[in-house]
Structures are given as structure tokens and as C-alpha cells.
Amino acid sequence: MATASPPPPPPQPLLRLSLAPQSVMPRAIDGAWWPRSYDLLAELPQLLAGLPRAWGHITSVTVNGATWSAVPDRMLVSHQVVRLHRTLTASAAHTIVLVAPGQGRWDLMVVPPDATEEAAEPLMAAGAEGRT
């Protein structure tokens, strides 16, 4: 009697991320990210896995506390602890800040998850150009 193997897990949706080209000049935005929800615990692991290796290990993430659902003080991502911070600053309403000690800080514009593709495209393009 043959046993059936379990079905493979569903494929991960593609990461919707546009990064500005690397530059020595500082800029306000380093790219744009279009998550599928405001559930940081579900969205952050895929984002961090899709970042360039040159950015190093992200150990700290700051998000707008009014925008994202429950955010604990830290979470485990790929066997690494990532500290999570919430801010209520108006200027950070649509950004996520990623920090890797000794490597740098990157600010990504967050495209609202419920944005239509038509509305998201120019925002993603602006992020890829390093502008808001």
C-alpha cells in the first residue's frame, strides 16, 4: 500500500520591493515596499529575506504604531532577534526604518496594502528613484 505524500506548501507571494540604486549621497527614501497586510509579524520576515546582502543583518525596525497591527518589542526572524519599535511621528506614517549596526540605516516608503496596482505603481517607481 502506497502512502500519499502531503501536498507541497503554497508558494510564497512575490516580494513587492523597489530599491533605489546604491549611492554615496544621503537621500530621504531608499526604496518602496508594498506589503500585503499591516500584520508586521507576517510581512517582516519576507521583507528582510529579500533585502540585499550588503545591507547586513537588520537588528532594528521602526514602524508607525498607529498603522501596523500589534507590534511586540522583538521577534525572531531567520533565527535572529529583531527589535521592533513603534513611533507615532506624523513624518513616519508611511515609512519603515531598518537598521543594521555597522552597515547603515534604510528608510523605505510603505505603500498601503490595500492600494490598487494603478495607485501603487507610481509610488513604487518613486521609491526606486529615492524620492517620495
Side-chain angles (χ1 to χ4, degrees), residues 6-66:
Q12 279 273 35
L14 293 176
L15 177 62
R16 301 183 296 191
L17 177 67
S18 296
L19 297 177
Q22 193 171 10
S23 171
V24 294
M25 297 298 294
R27 62 176 143 242
I29 290 293
D30 298 292
W33 175 45
W34 185 16
R36 287 177 167 71
S37 73
Y38 279 117
D39 181 353
L40 193 62
L41 299 179
E43 300 290 340
L44 190 60
Q46 186 182 22
L47 171 63
L48 296 183
L51 295 175
R53 287 183 179 250
W55 286 20
H57 171 66
I58 303 298
T59 61
S60 176
V61 174
T62 302
V63 297
N64 183 283

Side-chain angles (χ1 to χ4, degrees), residues 115-129:
T116 65
E117 194 164 330
E118 182 179 64
E121 282 180 9
L123 296 172
M124 296 295 284
E129 294 173 8

Side-chain angles (χ1 to χ4, degrees), residues 61-85:
V61 174
T62 302
V63 297
N64 183 283
T67 304
W68 293 89
S69 60
V71 176
D73 290 341
R74 63 183 66 116
M75 69 183 281
L76 195 61
V77 178
S78 298
H79 307 292
Q80 300 285 337
V81 174
V82 177
R83 294 191 182 280
L84 305 175
H85 307 279

